Amino acid sequence: MEKKIVVFGFYGSKQDDPEKENGPTFLLSTSKRKWRDKIERRTVDEYYLFYQKDHEKKVPLLQKQIRKKNPSIKFNLVQTEFKGPWELTGVFAYLLNFMKDYSFDSQNNDYYIHLTTGTDVIKIAWFLLVSGRYRFIKFIQSIPASGNSKYSNDVIDLNLDQYSEIQELFRTEQAKRVEKITQNDRYVKIVDEILNKADHMDNDDKILLMGETGVGKTRLIDQIYEKKFPKDAKKVHLVKLNCATLQKGMAMSILCGHKKGAFTGAVEDHTGKLQIANGGLLFLDEIGELELDVQAMLLKVIDEKIFYRFGGNEEMTSKFFLVCATNRDLKKETEEKRFRRDLLARIDTWVYEIPPLRKRPEDIKQVFEDQLNDYAFGMDSEAKDLYLNFACSDKAVWTGNFRDLIKSIHRMRVNSCGKMIRREIVREEIEYLLRQWQAETMPRSELTLQNDPNYEIVPETCRQNIDDIDLVQLLYVIKICGQSKNLADAYRQLHRFSRDKKMSSNDSDALRKYLKKFHLDFNTIQSRLKEKDS
């Protein structure tokens, strides 16, 4: 069964004027008109015409004219309720609410939006809606046919999967954006120095990147690889391995590979990272996490370029350009016998200290703007100033660096519930970050969490298996529960900035589920607190 055609569009004061000989545009299409799509010649089955009050006298005339040309069309008149067609916030909000209330039936209908009529602001609002929420809708652009007053109709599909050239351009621009991700003079100098020297380094040179987790060490590797191995001659691999993710006892197998039957579960031969990296670049992130026996094996590979597969006796060879990274002080690690001194001597030919994000305010602003540009609703100017002033201040320690910053922006997006991010959301996020960083940077003994008056209410099993940050939050929740009338009241106090005063029906259930994770409930907390007070 052929799907029905449903179209949404705005009344055009020029193109759709029923008193003009040429109007309206594509609505007069009959089987004689061909849509430049993969579908056959078809006509519109149902049309939603949005119009403003100024045009309410002409719209019935247009409706009558259309029915003469296409008697079977179902015609729906929708008078708009926004201030004006050039006010983006009002137009977008109106169309969004209309679409949310509309019952789409994609199995039986094909949906289109007519772009020829309507202001540029209206078209922008349509694009935002379709690209962000209603990707199954396509656009129609009516174009006057050459030599006559009729129109032909091009269908524009926003599904970019079919546009390989656009995808390639997008990837290129993304790569350029990564290259320009830092504005910090110190970091720019480090990057420039590494890339300028990479051309002249041979495989005996080693680079060691020092710095905290999340400062951008992994991102820098891609640039080194592109510089060291140009694209036109790139027949070698970039192999990345995070040593912190290696399970105990499996590092040898992952690095060297293994033979079939070498251990339980080894059902076939496995090629290791060292062999794959032969002739290319091997990046060992968090190298300080490797066990001592694995460090000894790696030392042999660096010195002699040979290794053996796990469970095999065949000598394998591999020559690669080695870049290592760590967030540990490896000199201190060697003094405490956790890292081999001779391995450190091999990998520290070129050592670069990547500065943390808290010392790179330029990059904070750059990443913040880039992330925000991907978010259609944005942030008002006061909220933006409040957040950036905090983010670049001494109070913001950014222990997770870029990861902290990106997660922070994401939380504000979610807490805004699809609306523009305002000061209340920012204040809530700042409070959350300060609590998180306090818990991460101070030992539990210094936080004196055990001395919290509500610490004993936390079940013993939870006390032994809970992170400091989660414990800080739980104790605060318990405190609020003790001050509240019921679950809904407590939830409302805990989310006073991110929610409207009017609570939703799920507020109580959300807090109930949170407490249940720690084997607690609201009534038990209230009872325990009353016992303490009596």
Side-chain angles (χ1 to χ4, degrees):
M1 180 179 177
E2 190 175 56
K3 290 185 177 182
K4 292 182 178 180
I5 300 295
V6 181
V7 181
F8 304 94
F10 276 80
Y11 175 84
S13 57
K14 295 182 180 180
Q15 295 96 327
D16 292 337
D17 190 341
E19 297 178 357
K20 291 185 178 181
E21 182 179 353
N22 295 343
T25 52
F26 93 106
L27 290 178
L28 292 181
S29 296
T30 66
S31 59
K32 296 179 181 179
R33 308 281 175 77
K34 181 179 180 181
W35 289 16
R36 296 175 185 176
D37 196 1
K38 293 181 180 179
I39 58 178
E40 297 177 356
R41 298 180 182 183
R42 300 163 66 181
T43 57
V44 177
D45 296 294
E46 185 172 4
Y47 191 82
Y48 287 81
L49 181 65
F50 297 88
Y51 68 96
Q52 293 182 277
K53 188 174 178 61
D54 297 345
H55 303 130
E56 61 182 347
K57 293 182 179 180
K58 289 193 174 183
V59 166
L61 298 176
L62 175 64
Q63 183 180 18
K64 184 178 179 180
Q65 186 182 37
I66 290 171
R67 288 196 183 282
K68 287 182 180 180
K69 298 290 184 179
N70 187 354
S72 64
I73 190 172
K74 182 179 179 182
F75 204 81
N76 305 288
L77 297 178
V78 185
Q79 184 172 329
T80 57
E81 299 175 359
F82 45 77
K83 293 180 180 179
W86 293 96
E87 200 265 313
L88 180 58
T89 303
V91 172
F92 182 84
Y94 174 79
L95 292 177
L96 174 63
N97 290 330
F98 179 88
M99 290 299 196
K100 287 170 67 175
D101 294 337
Y102 183 84
S103 297
F104 287 100
D105 181 9
S106 300
Q107 291 186 345
N108 297 310
N109 299 330
D110 283 334
Y111 294 96
Y112 298 85
I113 289 173
H114 189 219
L115 284 180
T116 305
T117 53
T119 65
D120 291 341
V121 166
I122 290 173
K123 295 171 185 177
I124 291 171
W126 280 132
F127 271 104
L128 290 174
L129 277 171
V130 172
S131 61
R133 294 172 179 262
Y134 304 100
R135 295 179 183 274
F136 55 86
I137 299 177
K138 296 179 181 180
F139 292 115
I140 299 173
Q141 182 73 45
S142 296
I143 305 172
S146 59
N148 59 56
S149 61
K150 297 180 180 180
Y151 288 85
S152 62
N153 300 294
D154 284 345
V155 176
I156 306 169
D157 188 353
L158 283 191
N159 179 9
L160 297 183
D161 292 340
Q162 60 181 303
Y163 301 123
S164 58
E165 291 184 5
I166 293 178
Q167 283 187 307
E168 185 60 34
L169 287 172
F170 182 70
R171 281 192 291 266
T172 302
E173 288 304 311
Q174 277 191 317
K176 291 180 180 178
R177 182 169 156 184
V178 169
E179 291 177 5
K180 298 178 180 178
I181 196 65
T182 182
Q183 304 293 323
N184 179 261
D185 290 341
R186 181 181 170 190
Y187 193 13
V188 169
K189 185 177 179 180
I190 291 173
V191 172
D192 288 344
E193 183 178 338
I194 292 174
L195 297 182
N196 288 335
K197 292 179 179 179
D199 279 342
H200 307 287
M201 293 180 182
D202 56 35
N203 284 358
D204 289 328
D205 284 312
K206 316 293 185 300
I207 295 176
L208 177 60
L209 303 177
M210 310 284 287
E212 299 174 5
T213 299
V215 294
K217 299 188 294 290
T218 304
R219 184 175 290 150
L220 180 56
I221 293 303
D222 293 323
Q223 293 177 273
I224 296 174
Y225 178 57
E226 293 289 339
K227 186 70 174 179
K228 182 68 179 172
F229 305 96
K231 187 175 183 180
D232 57 350
K234 195 179 298 177
K235 297 180 180 179
V236 295
H237 294 284
L238 166 60
V239 180
K240 301 178 182 179
L241 180 64
N242 189 330
C243 301
T245 64
L246 297 176
Q247 295 182 1
K248 190 173 183 179
M250 292 299 295
M252 287 289 193
S253 174
I254 298 297
L255 282 166
C256 301
H258 61 251
K259 297 290 290 182
K260 178 180 178 180
F263 52 85
T264 302
V267 296
E268 59 184 4
D269 289 351
H270 172 73
T271 302
K273 300 293 185 182
L274 296 177
Q275 186 176 349
I276 297 173
N278 186 30
L281 190 155
L282 176 64
F283 174 53
L284 297 179
D285 196 10
E286 305 300 350
I287 191 173
E289 304 294 329
L290 287 178
E291 297 172 344
L292 289 171
D293 59 337
V294 182
Q295 294 178 28
M297 179 276 297
L298 184 60
L299 179 66
K300 184 178 181 65
V301 176
I302 293 174
D303 283 345
E304 303 178 18
K305 311 295 187 293
I306 62 171
F307 64 95
Y308 296 88
R309 286 185 181 180
F310 191 66
N313 53 18
E314 179 185 358
E315 186 176 276
M316 312 289 293
T317 63
S318 184
K319 299 179 181 180
F320 45 80
F321 187 77
L322 180 64
V323 181
C324 302
T326 182
N327 62 358
R328 294 189 178 192
D329 183 345
L330 293 185
K331 289 185 177 179
K332 184 177 180 180
E333 294 290 301
T334 60
E335 293 171 0
E336 298 179 1
K337 309 298 183 183
R338 290 194 295 268
F339 198 83
R340 293 182 63 103
R341 190 178 300 275
D342 48 3
L343 178 58
L344 177 58
R346 301 298 193 283
I347 65 175
D348 67 349
T349 307
W350 300 100
V351 181
Y352 298 94
E353 181 81 26
I354 308 298
L357 186 61
R358 58 183 169 275
K359 294 183 179 180
R360 294 154 57 183
E362 310 93 336
D363 289 351
I364 292 176
K365 294 176 182 178
Q366 180 69 47
V367 173
F368 173 78
E369 292 292 346
D370 287 344
Q371 290 288 312
L372 206 60
N373 286 340
D374 293 335
Y375 182 39
F377 299 96
M379 176 185 287
D380 70 34
S381 58
E382 290 185 357
K384 184 183 293 187
D385 290 342
L386 177 62
Y387 187 82
L388 284 177
N389 287 338
F390 166 77
C392 299
S393 70
D394 293 337
K395 294 181 180 178
V397 294
W398 299 117
T399 54
N401 293 286
F402 283 108
R403 295 167 191 169
D404 266 5
L405 179 59
I406 292 172
K407 286 191 294 185
S408 173
I409 298 168
H410 175 72
R411 278 193 298 270
M412 290 191 293
R413 291 177 180 177
V414 174
N415 286 337
S416 68
C417 300
K419 300 177 182 178
M420 182 173 286
I421 301 171
R422 302 196 182 277
R423 288 175 65 90
E424 292 77 11
I425 300 294
V426 173
R427 289 195 190 98
E428 182 187 44
E429 177 61 21
I430 290 173
E431 289 180 8
Y432 175 85
L433 287 170
L434 290 174
R435 290 196 304 269
Q436 182 186 45
W437 292 332
Q438 183 187 38
E440 289 177 351
T441 56
M442 296 179 66
R444 186 170 296 186
S445 58
E446 292 183 32
L447 284 171
T448 62
L449 295 179
Q450 296 93 332
N451 297 328
D452 188 286
N454 300 324
Y455 184 74
E456 293 183 358
I457 296 178
V458 180
E460 181 65 30
T461 54
C462 291
R463 295 182 208 167
Q464 299 172 358
N465 299 285
I466 187 171
D467 292 331
D468 291 343
I469 180 61
D470 294 324
L471 181 56
V472 170
Q473 180 172 287
L474 178 58
L475 290 171
Y476 181 72
V477 171
I478 291 173
K479 176 184 175 182
I480 295 300
C481 286
Q483 300 171 352
S484 305
K485 299 176 183 179
N486 49 47
L487 274 168
D489 181 38
Y491 186 90
R492 198 160 59 247
Q493 291 190 56
L494 290 165
H495 297 80
R496 63 187 185 279
F497 291 128
S498 64
R499 295 194 52 77
D500 297 328
K501 293 299 181 182
K502 183 180 179 181
M503 59 186 178
S504 70
S505 58
N506 291 325
D507 287 350
S508 299
D509 187 54
L511 184 53
R512 185 183 295 109
K513 290 178 178 177
Y514 171 81
L515 293 173
K516 188 177 180 180
K517 292 194 303 182
F518 303 101
H519 308 291
L520 287 169
D521 61 77
F522 183 81
N523 293 331
T524 299
I525 292 173
Q526 292 255 312
S527 299
R528 293 287 302 275
L529 290 173
K530 287 180 180 178
E531 290 176 5
K532 289 175 61 180
D533 293 339
S534 61

